[in-house]
Amino acid sequence: MKQQLGGALDDFCGDASGEYNPSLYIHGTITEPVNWRKRQLLSSGENGSRQSREKMICKILLLISLTSCVCGTFVVKVTQTSYQAEENDNITLEWMFTTKPDSSSTSLNIICQLFTDVKHLILYHVHEGVESPESQDGQFAGRVQCDKDALREGRIRLHVSRLRTDDSGLYLCEMKTDYGESSGRCRLNVTAVDQPKPQKPTVRPQPESRGRIGLYVGLTAAVLAVCSGLYSAFRLHFSQET
């Protein structure tokens, strides 16, 4: 009986280490065994709940980390952030992107646009691996060519010819594939070329030839002779009448 009572006391009055704690009963009466057991159960429940929350947080962080890693596998970046050119020059705009060997070409979607303060224009468009020239704005018609070999190597190389001043602006190239999507941007500034004013050819007077001078002298002498003859005839006629 004494042993059973001692075991009960050990069960109810044991401290956190499982040892008998005499402060829990006075004069043979258990003072707080039930409250202590409740506290122990509540503490145990709180610890379990805390561990569950910590596990859940770890899982969420791991999921976020894995998602970030997956999304970060596809990147589009420019090889040059800004370009400077003059009117009527030719230029090549280039972007680089992450390739995946087992990716289908039909999953490739590209749209490259020019953004200015007043408009945005499409200069190159690929839909599901096929170029869409009908999407191209008229401003770039016949002036933009894409390097197909470079595209297979993970580079977008757009050759723009006969640049115009209104080609200046921000160029944004957006890509979407079956393994991610991303974009890259660069800026182009096209300056006008001052056209030199055409100079009028200087006309130098050609020296008159001796033949022309002789002709002029002869004509002058003939005119004077005719005038002199008319004058003489007029005087003779007038003198006869008087």
Side-chain angles (χ1 to χ4, degrees):
M1 184 69 178
K2 186 178 180 180
Q3 292 178 353
Q4 292 178 355
L5 181 59
L9 289 173
D10 290 339
D11 290 337
F12 286 97
C13 301
D15 58 11
S17 62
E19 297 180 355
Y20 175 72
N21 190 346
S23 64
L24 295 180
Y25 79 99
I26 303 174
H27 304 294
T29 303
I30 299 175
T31 58
E32 293 182 314
V34 177
N35 292 334
W36 179 86
R37 177 59 66 183
K38 286 182 179 180
R39 288 196 300 269
Q40 188 180 41
L41 291 174
L42 289 173
S43 177
S44 177
E46 290 176 357
N47 290 335
S49 178
R50 188 182 300 110
Q51 291 177 355
S52 299
R53 287 197 300 269
E54 290 177 353
K55 288 182 180 180
M56 182 62 69
I57 292 172
C58 290
K59 289 180 180 180
I60 293 173
L61 293 175
L62 180 60
L63 181 60
I64 294 174
S65 178
L66 292 175
T67 304
S68 301
C69 291
V70 171
C71 296
T73 57
F74 182 75
V75 178
V76 176
K77 59 182 179 180
V78 293
T79 58
Q80 191 172 330
T81 57
S82 62
Y83 296 82
Q84 182 72 37
E86 291 185 347
E87 195 175 10
N88 295 321
D89 283 349
N90 302 327
I91 201 169
T92 300
L93 307 177
E94 185 172 354
W95 291 262
M96 299 179 65
F97 62 93
T98 310
T99 58
K100 190 175 181 181
D102 56 349
S103 177
S104 173
S105 60
T106 59
S107 69
L108 183 62
N109 293 277
I110 304 172
I111 182 167
C112 297
Q113 302 179 77
L114 164 63
F115 288 86
T116 66
D117 294 336
V118 295
K119 60 184 178 180
H120 70 274
L121 310 172
I122 297 176
L123 69 150
Y124 186 68
H125 184 206
V126 173
H127 179 66
E128 295 181 349
V130 180
E131 288 186 350
S132 300
E134 64 274 7
S135 302
Q136 188 181 64
D137 190 88
Q139 177 174 323
F140 295 101
R143 299 197 297 126
V144 179
Q145 298 292 330
C146 180
D147 190 337
K148 303 298 190 302
D149 294 332
L151 190 61
R152 286 188 287 268
E153 297 172 356
R155 292 180 298 156
I156 303 174
R157 289 173 54 87
L158 298 181
H159 305 289
V160 186
S161 59
R162 305 185 305 277
L163 288 175
R164 299 157 37 170
T165 54
D166 54 357
D167 291 336
S168 299
L170 180 68
Y171 285 79
L172 175 67
C173 194
E174 299 174 280
M175 291 192 64
K176 184 177 181 180
T177 67
D178 57 355
Y179 56 96
E181 58 183 285
S182 183
S183 63
R185 64 190 65 191
C186 62
R187 186 169 291 277
L188 170 64
N189 184 35
V190 182
T191 56
V193 178
D194 294 333
Q195 298 292 338
K197 296 181 179 180
Q199 296 180 352
K200 295 182 179 180
T202 304
V203 179
R204 295 181 179 179
Q206 297 292 331
E208 295 181 344
S209 62
R210 291 182 179 180
R212 289 183 178 180
I213 294 175
L215 178 62
Y216 295 153
V217 173
L219 289 174
T220 303
V223 170
L224 290 176
V226 171
C227 291
S228 178
L230 291 175
Y231 178 72
S232 299
F234 177 76
R235 286 187 63 185
L236 178 62
H237 177 73
F238 181 77
S239 62
Q240 289 178 355
E241 286 182 354
T242 58

